[in-house]
Amino acid sequence: MIIAYVSKVDKECYNDLKDEFTDVKNFNSINDFISFYAVSKNRDVVLLYRVESLEDIEKIEEIHFNNNIYMIVIGKNDTKFSLLAGKIGVDVYLSEEEANSGLITNLIIKSQSIIKQRRGNSNISVFTGISGGVGTTTISMNLAKTLAQDHPDKNVLYLDFAYTKAVSNLFFNYPQPKKTIVDISSVQNLDMQELFENGLEKLNDNLYFVPGVQKHTDREELEKPENIQMFLNFIMFIKEKFDFIIIDVGVFEDVDLEIDIQEIADNIFVITEFSIPSMSILKTYIDIIDKSGWYSKTHIIANRSDSFGSVTQEEARKILSKGLKHNFEIAFALPNDAVHLRECWNEAQLVCDEYPDSPFMLKLKEFGENFFIHDASLYENAHKGEHSFWSKVKRWL
């Protein structure tokens, strides 16, 4: 999330926000911001705009908004100002007297859930690990296939965006894919036929995937700005075709593609273990999450949680909460099912195919129902009755 602070005054508020969030930018004019926003539309943006006149507010109309911008305007305690801001589409108008860093910070945190609602009923879920070997790929692959098997009415897409040489294609029985995720960046027209010709594979009636990179040199292709834009366009296009999109980005790295994908995601699942070294790495990553404004959509998943020598869930919670703004809980824990997982990994087989009733799979199914099926149902039910005032008037008429 980018915090765009448009103001020539009140640098104290700007400095307070820099302490709270990672990506805070200051612009002296709304025109400077408009130029910046034109090339940054992939990122969630909170616009903080201090105005002195009605003409300043009218300039907002010059911005061609996407649904990922949340606008807070600060100005005079004047009804004309607040009414004009509301008419243009400003989310919150604050008088100069009531605006303070604490209130603005709370509004910024709240903005994430509002932006998610504006994107529509999508379910883009990113899986990332604090280090290699914690089980990110195993969890995400088996989850994708299990959701597809247990819910044949749902279309599931698995995307391998890991920066290291991919292995998911082996588990999905595509040992030498002709096309990979890199080829998606060369698609000229975003239509299904061309996507199928450039990496999108159909595994069965409702499970699809795109293989990850097959050469270490392909990493360079993932880092090109023009390719990143194409990948993001692809995800935003394809989300309309699938009920669940599961993206494996592998080990978290502070690179543009991973940051941008996590920005547009509805959920981020961080895979860790209950060891002291893992908790230390996780805490560093969580601090980045917190300052990026992703707190409300981030879930920590502990793999092999019952391994010998692991810290307890309560101890992990205390470690994570110390020194951070928010209390981060362990959202779900998976058991140490080493016998079945090691055999399947060595043989490039999915655990859900070979041992569907293993301890790991029983808990993974529970995880899928809790975070994907149950949460999606809650979202749909919550929005069934939502209609604007004018839509109700039209129905009555």
Side-chain angles (χ1 to χ4, degrees):
M1 177 198 299
I2 297 172
I3 315 298
Y5 189 75
V6 181
S7 176
K8 295 180 180 179
V9 299
D10 195 9
K11 297 300 180 182
E12 182 180 347
C13 180
Y14 169 67
N15 291 328
D16 288 345
L17 291 172
K18 284 186 68 177
D19 291 337
E20 290 287 328
F21 300 97
T22 301
D23 207 346
V24 183
K25 300 182 183 298
N26 184 216
F27 302 91
N28 288 326
S29 71
I30 193 66
N31 290 330
D32 290 343
F33 167 74
I34 292 172
S35 299
F36 166 79
Y37 181 65
V39 296
S40 304
K41 291 189 175 183
N42 302 319
R43 302 289 303 278
D44 292 351
V45 177
V46 176
L47 170 62
L48 293 172
Y49 181 29
R50 285 190 173 269
V51 300
E52 297 179 0
S53 66
L54 293 174
E55 289 73 21
D56 288 342
I57 300 177
E58 289 173 348
K59 290 180 180 178
I60 299 176
E61 289 188 294
E62 300 175 21
I63 306 175
H64 298 289
F65 296 119
N66 281 354
N67 58 11
N68 63 339
I69 186 169
Y70 184 88
M71 292 184 288
I72 302 171
V73 172
I74 303 167
K76 296 178 181 180
N77 186 9
D78 188 320
T79 304
K80 291 181 181 178
F81 278 64
S82 59
L83 286 176
L84 179 59
K87 179 182 177 181
I88 289 175
V90 169
D91 292 285
V92 177
Y93 182 86
L94 298 175
S95 67
E96 294 170 349
E97 292 79 13
E98 63 184 332
N100 59 69
S101 298
L103 175 59
I104 291 172
T105 297
N106 288 333
L107 288 171
I108 291 172
I109 294 170
K110 178 184 175 183
S111 71
Q112 277 294 284
S113 60
I114 293 173
I115 290 173
K116 178 178 177 180
Q117 289 179 11
R118 288 174 181 166
R119 287 200 182 105
N121 188 17
S122 65
N123 196 321
I124 302 172
S125 297
V126 170
F127 285 76
T128 185
I130 60 158
S131 62
V134 295
T136 307
T137 299
T138 296
I139 291 169
S140 56
M141 287 188 306
N142 282 280
L143 175 65
K145 188 160 189 183
T146 298
L147 285 172
Q149 287 176 335
D150 292 351
H151 301 277
D153 60 322
K154 305 292 185 183
N155 288 319
V156 181
L157 173 64
Y158 179 89
L159 301 177
D160 192 335
F161 269 105
Y163 268 56
T164 55
K165 185 179 183 304
V167 296
S168 59
N169 53 290
L170 301 176
F171 290 83
F172 288 132
N173 296 318
Y174 278 77
Q176 294 181 318
K178 295 179 180 179
K179 301 281 187 175
T180 71
I181 198 71
V182 171
D183 295 285
I184 294 293
S185 64
S186 64
V187 172
Q188 297 300 311
N189 300 303
L190 286 173
D191 63 67
M192 295 304 292
Q193 183 59 42
E194 192 164 350
L195 290 172
F196 277 118
E197 293 171 359
N198 287 277
L200 180 61
E201 301 287 353
K202 183 175 182 179
L203 296 172
N204 57 41
D205 288 342
N206 66 326
L207 178 60
Y208 301 73
F209 95 115
V210 178
V213 298
Q214 298 298 300
K215 304 188 297 289
H216 290 295
T217 52
D218 284 343
R219 178 182 175 124
E220 298 174 5
E221 298 299 317
L222 298 179
E223 296 175 340
K224 292 181 178 178
E226 62 272 23
N227 289 351
I228 291 175
Q229 183 61 60
M230 284 302 301
F231 292 136
L232 298 175
N233 292 344
F234 159 66
I235 294 172
M236 298 309 289
F237 167 80
I238 207 74
K239 76 168 190 174
E240 305 296 335
K241 316 294 182 185
F242 290 89
D243 297 285
F244 303 118
I245 298 178
I246 294 175
I247 304 178
D248 177 8
V249 297
V251 178
F252 173 77
E253 296 186 54
D254 187 13
V255 292
D256 288 343
L257 179 59
E258 284 198 25
I259 296 296
D260 286 347
I261 288 177
Q262 291 181 84
E263 185 85 350
I264 66 174
D266 298 294
N267 292 291
I268 302 171
F269 295 98
V270 184
I271 313 301
T272 186
E273 292 180 316
F274 272 167
S275 65
I276 295 296
S278 293
M279 288 293 107
S280 178
I281 298 172
L282 177 62
K283 193 167 182 179
T284 301
Y285 176 46
I286 282 179
D287 190 47
I288 296 173
I289 289 173
D290 217 3
K291 290 186 175 181
S292 298
W294 301 337
Y295 167 72
S296 61
K297 65 179 182 180
T298 299
H299 315 279
I300 301 169
I301 309 302
N303 194 22
R304 309 180 190 114
S305 59
D306 53 352
S307 296
F308 179 77
S310 297
V311 300
T312 66
Q313 189 158 331
E314 178 60 24
E315 289 170 334
R317 186 190 65 80
K318 290 180 179 179
I319 293 171
L320 295 178
S321 299
K322 189 174 181 181
L324 296 176
K325 293 185 309 204
H326 297 104
N327 291 327
F328 280 84
E329 304 283 347
I330 303 299
F332 202 84
L334 294 166
N336 182 9
D337 191 3
V339 174
H340 296 117
L341 268 66
R342 188 180 299 116
E343 176 189 327
C344 289
W345 185 265
N346 291 338
E347 298 296 328
Q349 298 171 329
L350 292 173
V351 188
C352 59
D353 291 337
E354 302 302 315
Y355 299 103
D357 297 321
S358 62
F360 171 79
M361 281 312 307
L362 292 177
K363 290 298 289 184
L364 190 63
K365 286 184 179 182
E366 180 184 334
F367 167 75
E369 295 296 315
N370 288 353
F371 285 91
F372 288 79
I373 304 305
H374 181 61
D375 275 4
S377 298
L378 284 179
Y379 181 92
E380 290 169 2
N381 291 334
H383 289 73
K384 278 181 181 177
E386 283 191 1
H387 298 284
S388 69
F389 171 76
W390 289 112
S391 68
K392 291 177 181 178
V393 170
K394 288 177 182 177
R395 287 210 319 276
W396 292 334
L397 295 175

